[in-house]
Amino acid sequence: MRPMPCTADTAGGQRDGGAGRTADDTAPRPRGSGARLDVVDVLRGFALMALFLVHVIESYELFWASEKPGLITDVIFALFMGKSFSLLALCFGFSFFILMDRAARRGEDFTARFAWRLLILEGIGFAHSLIYRGDIMQTLAAIGFLLLLFNRVRSNAVLLAGAAFCLAGPSLMVQLIAGAMGAGWANAPTLSSVDPGMPIYLGGDLWQVLRVNLWAGQQSKYWFFLEYGRMVQILGLYLLGLVLGRTQFFGDLAKSRAWRGPALLVAGLLAVALFLTREPMREAFAGLGLGLGADRAFWALINMWLDLAGTAFWALLVIALYDGPMRWLVQPLAAPGRLTLTYYILQSAIFVPVFYHYGLGKYADWDAATRLWIALAAIAVQIVAAHWWLARFQYGPIEWVWRALTYLRRDVPFRRKDRAPAR
């Protein structure tokens, strides 16, 4: 099972001249925030569309019931699986910084409000998980509470050290050592491999899907997060996003131009090297005879590091395109990047019934090429629709609800008065 996540709300909103401004709309923007928010929206939009592409190729998880590897699936999974998830988590950490920083500049403490905001996201995620159990909003929100604690750490060096520790895969290293020492719990079959939901998705009706997704179908997902280090990885990406916000990385891209090029090359070479050598490394490690648990943890570690190298590559590549003469290639992604919550849920609401048995049941009918072309066409439609929507409205509908509930007010501006074209 390979559940994939969603994203956080956009970091900020457009200003409105009326009395219905929300607190963070009226706050003075941090230095360079306009450029920062735009490039982060582009990153978020790229990650969202890449994640959607993975979801369609895997038929919203049904692919894993009877895997049929092929060139298209192998390429898409290698390029984007795990990387898009990581980019979205990174953006979540940055969005946290923006909200807390703007409140601090007003002399306010946004802690309680952000905690309430996370609780709302938990509720939205719960509703979404009834449709698609691969939802990660609930997990993102739960781990987000830790940001409230880490935000009190003023040293960026300490936060970076914490991020590095989390991204190294400490829980998997513990499993590896325990497995090698013969611990029964580490060498037992993974609990995430027991999936009571999959038979329902393949043959059940809508009511059965909703019922199994209340809890039984969710268990394998959460065990997957725990057993394969995703929980700790998300926290590490959050901390990295927080530090990037504090250091104005996105707000002043000129400062990082000197090292971003070499870093992009290193990240790309590392990702390719890990991809090409991971299977020989797995075979060599298995030859040591340390046990099933150690072998499984080692394989998970290699893949985690591969995903992180790929994440760094995509992030630096998108930023390089945005910060250069080829910005036009990635700029259209900013609009869907501002509608991530609405789009993530809408994608599931449309395509889960397309693939699942209670709907059209196309998971067994469409080959990988068909799924690819449908996904690419849907991505194009989403980009065009996002620009049309944002030319008329300030937020996506679910983003607006989240914001209105965050501030417990209904006068948050929704329609644009000037009808200016979206960027």
Side-chain angles (χ1 to χ4, degrees):
M1 172 185 177
R2 298 172 184 261
M4 300 298 292
C6 109
T7 181
D9 180 23
T10 52
Q14 299 297 316
R15 298 192 181 195
D16 181 78
R21 299 173 181 172
T22 59
D24 60 345
D25 288 328
T26 59
R29 294 182 179 231
R31 177 175 60 87
S33 64
R36 175 203 313 144
L37 290 177
D38 195 44
V39 68
V40 173
D41 283 339
V42 168
L43 270 177
R44 192 182 288 114
F46 172 83
L48 177 67
M49 294 300 107
L51 177 60
F52 172 70
L53 179 58
V54 170
H55 280 167
V56 173
I57 292 297
E58 68 169 3
S59 300
Y60 275 81
E61 292 191 5
L62 301 191
F63 172 87
W64 306 108
S66 56
E67 299 181 32
K68 297 178 181 179
L71 179 61
I72 292 176
T73 55
D74 290 348
V75 169
I76 296 300
F77 291 164
L79 288 177
F80 302 118
M81 179 169 280
K83 292 79 173 172
S84 51
F85 147 75
S86 299
L87 278 175
L88 292 173
L90 184 73
C91 291
F92 190 105
F94 174 76
S95 298
F96 167 81
F97 162 78
I98 287 293
L99 292 172
M100 300 298 286
D101 182 67
R102 288 180 175 177
R105 288 171 179 269
R106 299 191 302 271
E108 300 175 6
D109 186 352
F110 199 71
T111 302
R113 183 79 66 179
F114 191 82
W116 168 240
R117 181 180 177 85
L118 290 174
L119 288 175
I120 298 169
L121 186 61
E122 286 277 3
I124 296 173
F126 170 76
H128 179 242
S129 70
L130 297 179
I131 303 171
Y132 172 52
R133 64 98 176 264
D135 167 83
I136 200 179
M137 283 185 284
Q138 292 173 289
T139 305
L140 288 175
I143 300 175
F145 283 98
L146 295 177
L147 277 172
L148 297 172
L149 298 176
F150 281 100
N151 191 50
R152 299 182 180 277
V153 177
R154 304 319 305 166
S155 171
N156 289 336
V158 171
L159 291 178
L160 282 176
F165 174 78
C166 292
L167 298 177
S171 63
L172 291 172
M173 292 181 181
V174 169
Q175 291 181 50
L176 191 156
I177 295 172
M181 295 178 65
W185 65 268
N187 287 294
T190 58
L191 294 171
S192 59
S193 63
V194 179
D195 186 0
M198 189 61 74
I200 303 299
Y201 308 144
L202 292 171
D205 57 31
L206 176 59
W207 171 246
Q208 290 174 315
V209 169
L210 296 175
R211 186 171 57 186
V212 77
N213 280 346
L214 274 173
W215 177 240
Q218 303 289 338
Q219 293 180 39
S220 57
K221 176 182 72 177
Y222 289 119
W223 279 119
F224 176 84
F225 290 154
L226 289 170
E227 292 173 332
Y228 289 89
R230 284 290 179 90
M231 297 288 195
V232 181
Q233 182 183 356
I234 291 172
L235 177 59
L237 292 164
Y238 279 4
L239 297 180
L240 182 57
L242 175 58
V243 172
L244 291 177
R246 285 184 178 183
T247 56
Q248 292 285 323
F249 173 78
F250 294 113
D252 190 357
L253 295 177
K255 292 194 304 183
S256 59
R257 284 176 188 150
W259 62 262
R260 276 194 281 112
L264 172 62
L265 179 61
V266 170
L269 291 176
L270 179 59
V272 171
L274 286 171
F275 180 79
L276 294 177
T277 62
R278 61 177 180 166
E279 189 62 39
M281 284 193 290
R282 174 163 71 167
E283 293 175 357
F285 189 86
L288 299 176
L290 298 179
L292 176 63
D295 293 347
R296 184 172 58 226
F298 179 80
W299 179 244
L301 272 172
I302 295 300
N303 281 286
M304 175 182 289
W305 296 337
L306 169 59
D307 286 345
L308 291 173
T311 299
F313 172 80
W314 284 121
L316 291 168
L317 178 61
V318 171
I319 292 171
L321 292 172
Y322 178 88
D323 192 38
M326 299 186 71
R327 178 182 294 191
W328 58 272
L329 278 177
V330 295
Q331 185 64 52
L333 294 170
R338 291 177 52 200
L339 303 177
T340 48
L341 196 55
T342 294
Y343 266 3
Y344 182 66
I345 294 176
L346 187 62
Q347 289 165 357
S348 300
I350 293 174
F351 281 90
V352 166
V354 167
F355 292 112
Y356 282 33
H357 177 267
Y358 72 81
L360 299 179
K362 293 297 184 181
Y363 71 92
D365 297 335
W366 288 351
D367 60 15
T370 301
R371 295 196 302 273
L372 175 62
W373 284 113
I374 288 175
L376 293 176
I379 287 172
V381 170
Q382 289 177 78
I383 292 174
V384 172
H387 284 265
W388 180 91
W389 180 271
L390 290 174
R392 292 158 177 80
F393 303 95
Q394 300 212 46
Y395 309 103
I398 300 180
E399 284 82 2
W400 183 89
V401 170
W402 191 16
R403 182 174 292 266
L405 289 175
T406 295
Y407 296 99
L408 298 176
R409 53 193 300 176
R410 293 181 296 176
D411 59 347
V412 176
F414 186 46
R415 288 184 174 273
R416 287 190 179 276
K417 294 182 179 180
D418 54 6
R419 295 287 295 272
R423 291 190 301 171

